[in-house]
Amino acid sequence: MTTHTAGASTRHPGLNLGEPHEEAHSANEELVFGFWVFMMSDFIIFGLLFATYVTMLGGTAGGPGPSDLLEMKGAFIETMLLLASSFTFGMASLSLKYHQGTAKLIGWLVVTLLLGLGFLAHELKDFHTMISEGGYPSRSGYLSAFFSLVPLHGLHVAGACLWMLAIFGQMAVHRIDTQVKTGLTRLAILWHFLDIVWIVIFSLVYLGGLT
Amino acid sequence: MTDESSFLLGRLGWDALPFWDMIQNPTRESIINGIIASGAAGMVVLGALAAAALITWYGKWKVLWCDWLTSVDHKKIGIMFIVIALLMLLRAVIEAAFMRAQQAFGLGGGFLSPEHYGQLFTTHGTIMIFFMAMPFLTGLINFVMPLQIGARDLSFPVLNSVSFGLTAAGAALMMISLVLAPFSTGGWTGYPPFTELQANPGPGVDYWIWGVTLSTLSSTFSGINFAVTIYKKRAPGMTLMRMPLFCWTALCTSILMIFGMPPLTVATGLLALDRYLDFHMFTADLGGNMMNYINLFWAFGHPEVYILILPAFGVFSEVFSTFSGKRLYGYTALVIATMAIAVLSFTVWLHHFFTMGQSAHINAVFGIATMLIGIPTGVKIFDWMLTMYRGRVRLTVPMVYAVGFLILFSIGGLSGIILATPSIDYQIHNSLFLVAHFHNMLIPGLLFGMLAGYTYWFSKAFGFQLDARWGYRAAWSWIVGFMLAFFPLYALGLLGMPRRTVAFFDPVYLPWTIAAGLGALIILYAIVCLMAQLWVSIKRRDALATPGGDPWDGRSLEWDTPSPVPEYNFPVLPQVNSHDAFYRQKCDGAPHESPARYEPITIPKNTAMGVIIGVSGTAVGFGLTWHMWWLALAFSAVALVAMIARGFARNTTWTLDAEAIERQQRAWAHQLEQFEPITRQWEQSEANRGVPVPPNEGAIQ
Amino acid sequence: MRAHESNAQDTQTLDQNTDQNTQAQQRGHDDEDLARERQRDFRSYGWGLFLSLVLTLIPFGVAAFVPLPSIAHWIIIGECAVVQIIVHFRFFLHISFSRNTREDLQLILFTVLIITILAGGTLWILFDLYYRMMPGMAP
């Protein structure tokens, strides 16, 4: 379990870069495992916020409830944007792994970033509509629960976008060296993780609330 | 107040000074409380100034910066954690003494105002849990665990430094709150709606929220760091089932930190949203539900109890085994019991609020789950007793703590079984019986464990032993003082005295509160003994030196190194073949085997990340507390920029060449030959140079 | 700064060198292995995208267009969500039952256990409270 030989035995969660990237691959073993543990800790935060959200569904205090404010179209578009970005990030990881050239890697990453920003823009628009229709967080316990859960996911996406920009900066200075590779591997895990959280959000908050 | 000053200072005004009220409305009560509060504030300010002056006088700023604050060495970070823990212990014990004094004079009034008393029990609880216990155990794990598993450092040394910065920031906020008062009066649990804006608009609760949040973040990161280290960085041959038990408890504690801290982050985060952005999560109106907070808080609170107790169990396992001269009895059972406690601790949180109003069957389920935890804990107690059975027990200072723990902790556990019965809990909940119970668990359990560990490993950190005479005085005073201070509280609880009461009017309570007050005095004496012990030991450090590195005839790998331990821990990573790895080497007659060839070692460079995050954390917390938005924003930006900039850093390691290592190791080997090996009888005397008589020359039984 | 740059370039060229070396040395069946792995990786993301799309469209479609009692809706939505989460773990995060990723799998399963206990317990406790004391809070 603790052997430090590179290769198939030292695998970590997420896409393994494999032997052609030996240095990054072995550096990843601890880094990615640690990041993975951090993600699990974050899962607990979301899990509890989901449970709390469900317990607050009745706390509308006479204000608007889920079926008055949420709309399916917006949620569907956001879901598609995020799913597509997960796929494009996968393509980026593969072009890193199989040396398909820096241009291709950066191309896929830029597409991913744009999809992420599109998601954020659309989500902000949705929030704006909600607030203008009287669905602001200080209106009721239910809306407080909504605005402590969904924007937290959005905040994570924004953080991930910022991280990607920082990695672009690192690429400009250091080219694609070991740290950039390990950074991208971890960012990929965060990105896919956020998509998983979003699955629960659209199922529980949007679809669950609308039916 | 003009607009400009409120932009600059937020809501901070003259009334934040602890003596302001005393000057404005001089009544007897306000003068007494003002003098006490100003004295405390004065001690903080003078202490800080004196420390700065001393460092300047001795010209140690550079040492402080280069060798300590920016160091990423796990041993130094561990020591700094423990320094914070000891300082905060001092403050919180003094606060406890004030509370005991208040209740000893409390018939019909006492001398403290209710407001001041509320701040005292809130800071006492918050500090003892988050800024004494957590840093103490984090520090011990930090220092000991990598040495025991044969690693050179933690997996993420820079993150470790950041963890330290966050805890230091939280502790700094706690200290600042003494000078720029007031602190929260909501208790360490901070239940809304009392802590909501309507009931508590002042800065007190905000101090509490940010102090606790900083500490929580720190613990989450520490937990991740420890768990990954134990999973990925064990020495060759060190399988999980060969790890010393302390490492097992460290692993379980880290798992609990990783999964148990997030609920608190959620609870305090949502409370902050309520207070700052007018959310209604826990308010009494507009669909808020305060019971959600109680549920979230204890979903953290119960795992937290085991985060606190498990490392102490680990320390005791090492202490019992070493000072009985025997292999730990029932190692496998202890490992399984530790794991069982870790998992079960997630299934019992409701027993903290049996009386909230849920159905009896739910209470029954959680009550039974609570009692179940008694089983693995009982297994442990018997394993420790059987470790001592037929061993050559030496009653050294750590062993006095351990034996005291064994008896007192069992009594506390039995009172826990009483409290775990919902129908009884309805009678005695929120009374001093509960206060007696959890102090009975945490003082003999956690604090004795930490102090035993502090005495046990002190020489490993600094190269000299702690003075035994003052150590015995401290240990016995702790035991006696604890019993006198807390056993009366059981009786008071059964007599119906509620906790957190500033005054009472039933004279029946008085003899018990006076007895408890005397116990507090003995505990204060114990603290004085601990300080005297440190002072005397530093004075006599040459006589007490143990450079051989193995003063207790130890069994695990940390004793395989010189004291103090070199930065790289091990010149070559040890090859482990069995449990009690170092003892096995000694039995084979070949301890400290030197390798054929030394290799250069890569060591992470110092970094200011921990300091930057610590300073920013303090500033952001302070700014948010006093509504100085510019300060919070500016330092959030500083922290963010620092983190991004860190991503650009390359060449973050340096290499220690093989010759230097060889020279150091040769010098140590030479030193070892000079020392007279001693038998265990003399281990607490000045004859002990850290070289025990080899076991095959008759040192075993 | 100069040291930094040269160092970064060193690692870069080193990386390329090793790439070329490995490719040169391991021509033949290792090359085939790599090609197969590559194909497998690409197919994994393709499958992931396809399955996720299906599992997203079903609940949205059902919720928007199919009139059913809400219990049936919730079951379909919940099941699709659970399956899609597993799909993401399997195809995007490459977690499987194979030996190599056993530690991560254990970690995920432990996390699921803890979330189940904490979230399930929360719902149990609070809805019981609503039933007994605060009927207004039950949705």
Side-chain angles (χ1 to χ4, degrees):
Chain A
M1 215 185 274
T2 48
T3 46
H4 285 281
T5 52
S9 63
T10 57
R11 300 194 71 171
H12 53 75
L15 186 73
N16 281 255
L17 292 177
E19 277 166 64
H21 303 263
E22 193 172 326
E23 198 185 338
H25 183 70
S26 51
N28 260 337
E29 193 190 345
E30 273 170 76
L31 273 174
V32 174
F33 187 64
F35 192 71
W36 190 247
V37 179
F38 175 63
M39 289 287 91
M40 294 298 125
S41 188
D42 219 16
F43 257 134
I44 304 283
I45 290 191
F46 277 108
L48 284 164
L49 282 173
F50 280 122
T52 307
Y53 174 81
V54 173
T55 64
M56 298 294 277
L57 278 173
T60 47
S67 49
D68 307 318
L69 286 171
L70 306 177
E71 50 144 1
M72 207 177 284
K73 195 171 129 243
F76 184 71
I77 294 170
E78 284 154 28
T79 308
M80 286 300 132
L81 285 172
L82 215 50
L83 179 58
S85 79
S86 241
F87 179 75
T88 54
F89 206 129
M91 291 300 106
S93 305
L94 287 183
S95 48
L96 173 69
K97 179 172 177 180
Y98 295 109
H99 297 285
Q100 292 178 326
T102 315
K104 206 165 178 184
L105 169 65
I106 292 180
W108 281 118
L109 285 177
V110 168
V111 173
T112 311
L113 180 65
L114 290 177
L115 287 168
L117 291 175
F119 168 84
L120 283 176
H122 206 277
E123 192 173 44
L124 283 177
K125 195 189 121 239
D126 269 8
F127 290 158
H128 182 74
T129 320
M130 273 180 81
I131 290 171
S132 60
E133 286 169 7
Y136 45 92
S138 51
R139 175 64 188 82
S140 71
Y142 162 70
L143 282 160
S144 298
F146 177 89
F147 278 100
S148 61
L149 169 63
V150 184
L152 183 67
H153 172 268
L155 209 59
H156 274 73
V157 176
C161 290
L162 193 64
W163 190 1
M164 195 185 289
L165 288 174
I167 289 185
F168 282 148
Q170 289 182 38
M171 280 185 191
V173 180
H174 300 293
R175 323 237 336 243
I176 302 173
D177 65 351
T178 302
Q179 276 94 329
V180 168
K181 288 179 192 171
T182 58
L184 278 175
T185 322
R186 278 173 289 158
L187 180 57
I189 288 182
L190 174 63
W191 206 277
H192 296 309
F193 163 86
L194 290 176
D195 205 4
I196 291 176
V197 173
W198 182 257
I199 295 172
V200 189
I201 291 185
F202 84 69
S203 302
L204 186 87
V205 177
Y206 285 93
L207 295 181
L210 287 168
T211 48
Chain B
M1 216 182 262
T2 63
D3 276 349
E4 200 180 344
S5 77
S6 74
F7 170 76
L8 202 60
L9 292 175
R11 53 176 164 170
L12 182 62
W14 291 110
D15 54 345
L17 292 170
F19 46 82
W20 194 252
D21 186 41
M22 173 169 80
I23 299 169
Q24 296 295 309
N25 336 284
T27 60
R28 185 175 161 271
E29 193 188 64
S30 76
I31 289 176
I32 293 175
N33 287 286
I35 287 173
I36 294 171
S38 314
M43 267 161 66
V44 173
V45 175
L46 285 180
L49 287 178
L54 279 176
I55 295 170
T56 314
W57 178 257
Y58 289 107
K60 296 283 185 195
W61 282 108
K62 190 153 181 277
V63 175
L64 181 69
W65 179 260
C66 297
D67 288 357
W68 292 92
L69 295 180
T70 60
S71 169
V72 290
D73 183 349
H74 72 96
K75 300 179 286 297
K76 292 198 168 147
I77 294 177
I79 292 168
M80 289 193 289
F81 264 116
I82 295 176
V83 168
I84 288 190
L86 289 174
L87 286 175
M88 298 308 266
L89 172 71
L90 184 63
R91 170 176 166 192
V93 164
I94 294 174
E95 287 174 339
F98 269 104
M99 286 190 282
R100 285 283 124 249
Q102 163 71 12
Q103 292 208 328
F105 298 105
L107 184 62
F111 57 96
L112 292 175
S113 68
E115 191 71 15
H116 198 173
Y117 189 75
Q119 289 182 42
L120 280 178
F121 67 67
T122 306
T123 43
H124 171 78
T126 309
I127 286 177
M128 281 298 195
I129 299 285
F130 294 102
F131 299 106
M132 190 286 286
M134 295 302 276
F136 215 145
L137 68 92
T138 310
L140 269 192
I141 295 176
N142 234 314
F143 184 84
V144 178
M145 183 268 288
L147 288 169
Q148 283 195 334
I149 61 171
R152 294 230 164 88
D153 206 327
L154 293 177
S155 281
F156 311 116
V158 179
L159 183 67
N160 196 20
S161 169
V162 169
S163 288
F164 172 73
L166 289 169
T167 290
L173 273 189
M174 297 300 294
M175 289 320 235
I176 291 172
S177 80
L178 272 181
V179 183
L180 300 170
F183 198 74
S184 165
T185 51
W188 82 277
T189 48
Y191 278 5
F194 182 71
T195 47
E196 288 284 359
L197 216 47
Q198 285 85 349
N200 240 317
V205 181
D206 300 319
Y207 264 131
W208 177 81
I209 288 178
W210 302 118
V212 165
T213 304
L214 286 167
S215 154
T216 314
L217 289 176
S218 160
S219 301
T220 312
F221 292 142
S222 289
I224 293 170
N225 216 339
F226 296 152
V228 175
T229 308
I230 294 179
Y231 263 104
K232 298 285 183 191
K233 280 190 97 82
R234 277 168 286 135
M238 177 66 84
T239 59
L240 283 173
M241 290 308 277
R242 283 180 189 162
M243 290 198 304
L245 206 86
F246 181 75
C247 295
W248 268 105
T249 56
L251 176 63
C252 289
T253 284
S254 340
I255 291 174
L256 292 179
M257 283 177 175
I258 295 161
F259 294 102
M261 287 291 162
L264 182 64
T265 315
V266 173
T268 53
L270 293 178
L271 187 61
L273 284 176
D274 274 9
R275 291 179 62 86
Y276 284 86
L277 297 176
D278 198 22
F279 276 41
H280 287 281
M281 293 302 298
F282 310 127
T283 52
D285 58 347
L286 282 173
N289 180 9
M290 64 216 68
M291 290 190 264
N292 260 325
Y293 177 90
I294 296 173
N295 177 64
L296 287 170
F297 184 86
W298 290 112
F300 142 79
H302 206 85
E304 167 73 8
V305 173
Y306 288 94
I307 293 174
L308 299 179
I309 212 80
L310 285 178
F313 284 176
V315 174
F316 288 130
S317 301
E318 304 296 308
V319 165
F320 278 122
S321 165
T322 305
F323 294 112
S324 304
K326 269 178 72 187
R327 195 190 153 149
L328 192 61
Y329 182 88
Y331 172 83
T332 315
L334 279 168
V335 170
I336 295 170
T338 306
M339 291 300 275
I341 289 176
V343 175
L344 278 176
S345 70
F346 282 103
T347 63
V348 298
W349 76 96
L350 181 126
H351 71 213
H352 295 273
F353 46 95
F354 275 146
T355 56
M356 195 163 81
Q358 58 280 359
S359 305
H361 65 270
I362 299 185
N363 278 351
V365 168
F366 281 89
I368 292 167
T370 306
M371 293 180 199
L372 278 181
I373 293 195
I375 296 172
T377 315
V379 167
K380 292 187 160 212
I381 299 275
F382 281 106
D383 276 338
W384 290 321
M385 290 199 294
L386 289 166
T387 304
M388 286 195 289
Y389 179 64
R390 290 198 165 171
R392 287 276 170 88
V393 178
R394 293 111 74 196
L395 269 183
T396 53
V397 176
M399 198 65 175
V400 171
Y401 282 117
V403 174
F405 150 81
L406 209 54
I407 299 163
L408 296 175
F409 187 79
S410 303
I411 296 173
L414 292 175
S415 70
I417 297 289
I418 296 173
L419 276 166
T421 315
S423 45
I424 301 179
D425 185 76
Y426 261 87
Q427 302 301 315
I428 49 179
H429 80 101
N430 213 36
S431 73
L432 282 176
F433 190 90
L434 170 80
V435 176
H437 163 69
F438 71 72
H439 282 89
N440 200 343
M441 302 312 270
L442 289 179
I443 294 179
L446 169 100
L447 191 63
F448 285 11
M450 294 299 114
L451 291 174
Y454 160 76
T455 321
Y456 184 60
W457 282 300
F458 186 90
S459 69
K460 193 73 340 214
F462 296 104
F464 57 94
Q465 290 194 79
L466 282 173
D467 177 73
R469 203 153 9 119
W470 282 104
Y472 281 120
R473 282 174 200 158
W476 285 111
S477 311
W478 267 114
I479 292 173
V480 174
F482 160 76
M483 291 195 289
L484 193 55
F486 289 97
F487 287 167
L489 301 196
Y490 280 121
L492 282 169
L494 292 176
L495 288 169
M497 183 166 174
R499 69 191 291 202
R500 295 174 176 168
T501 333
V502 64
F504 54 87
F505 300 95
D506 188 343
V508 174
Y509 297 154
L510 196 59
W512 303 100
T513 57
I514 290 176
L518 292 176
L521 283 181
I522 300 180
I523 289 180
L524 270 184
Y525 176 67
I527 288 281
V528 172
C529 289
L530 282 175
M531 291 197 288
Q533 181 192 35
L534 195 59
W535 177 257
V536 169
S537 312
I538 293 173
K539 282 272 164 205
R540 295 175 51 219
R541 59 185 176 277
D542 292 330
L544 293 168
T546 55
D550 184 18
W552 310 116
D553 199 6
R555 311 175 74 83
S556 39
L557 285 175
E558 76 268 31
W559 307 109
D560 189 10
T561 54
S563 299
V565 187
E567 190 167 14
Y568 48 85
N569 291 359
F570 299 98
V572 279
L573 291 182
Q575 175 72 42
V576 179
N577 301 313
S578 75
H579 189 255
D580 285 349
F582 180 53
Y583 199 70
R584 172 66 47 200
Q585 288 178 21
K586 286 195 280 189
C587 288
D588 295 344
H592 318 303
E593 214 169 348
S594 53
R597 208 162 68 83
Y598 288 95
E599 302 277 345
I601 294 173
T602 313
I603 297 174
K605 276 185 193 160
N606 282 9
T607 164
M609 271 308 278
V611 180
I612 295 172
I613 297 291
V615 170
S616 327
T618 315
V620 173
F622 188 76
L624 286 172
T625 301
W626 290 102
H627 295 184
M628 300 177 195
W629 309 122
W630 62 271
L631 186 69
L633 274 175
F635 276 93
S636 307
V638 168
L640 192 65
V641 169
M643 283 191 281
I644 292 175
R646 176 72 196 170
F648 284 83
R650 299 295 188 268
N651 297 325
T652 51
T653 56
W654 61 283
T655 307
L656 186 61
D657 58 68
E659 291 80 55
I661 301 166
E662 187 164 6
R663 222 177 307 123
Q664 286 181 19
Q665 291 294 317
R666 285 257 163 88
W668 181 48
H670 181 70
Q671 230 180 349
L672 283 177
E673 286 163 13
Q674 311 289 310
F675 295 137
E676 182 71 24
I678 48 120
T679 56
R680 288 167 177 175
Q681 190 183 355
W682 304 108
E683 65 189 350
Q684 290 196 112
S685 74
E686 290 179 5
N688 192 349
R689 282 286 170 268
V691 184
V693 172
N696 45 11
E697 286 173 26
I700 324 178
Q701 318 326 336
Chain C
M1 197 60 216
R2 187 172 292 262
H4 273 232
E5 272 168 25
S6 68
N7 199 292
Q9 276 164 4
D10 279 355
T11 34
Q12 184 69 16
T13 46
L14 204 80
D15 232 347
Q16 282 166 358
N17 280 341
T18 44
D19 290 346
Q20 283 159 8
N21 285 345
T22 43
Q23 275 167 17
Q25 285 164 4
Q26 301 172 336
R27 234 172 270 268
H29 90 240
D30 270 13
D31 239 12
E32 266 170 45
D33 266 4
L34 202 69
R36 211 175 305 132
E37 191 180 338
R38 177 176 162 170
Q39 207 177 14
R40 203 172 54 224
D41 279 346
F42 272 98
R43 212 180 289 146
S44 169
Y45 283 99
W47 270 108
L49 181 66
F50 171 71
L51 289 174
S52 302
L53 267 178
V54 172
L55 289 164
T56 308
L57 290 174
I58 292 175
F60 270 103
V62 167
F65 305 118
V66 187
L68 277 174
S70 36
I71 287 289
H73 272 145
W74 289 336
I75 292 173
I76 293 174
I77 292 168
E79 280 179 353
C80 285
V82 170
V83 177
Q84 197 182 343
I85 288 172
I86 296 171
V87 164
H88 275 244
F89 272 122
R90 173 71 189 80
F91 293 105
F92 289 162
L93 286 162
H94 311 278
I95 304 295
S96 66
F97 285 96
S98 68
R99 265 199 85 71
N100 296 324
T101 44
R102 195 62 69 71
E103 265 172 21
D104 328 322
L105 188 68
Q106 281 172 357
L107 191 62
I108 294 170
L109 292 179
F110 187 73
T111 311
V112 170
L113 172 74
I114 298 297
I115 289 189
T116 312
I117 295 173
L118 291 181
T122 299
L123 296 178
W124 191 31
I125 295 164
L126 280 148
F127 280 97
D128 184 74
L129 277 170
Y130 292 163
Y131 172 74
R132 283 165 62 88
M133 307 196 299
M134 307 168 76
M137 280 296 280

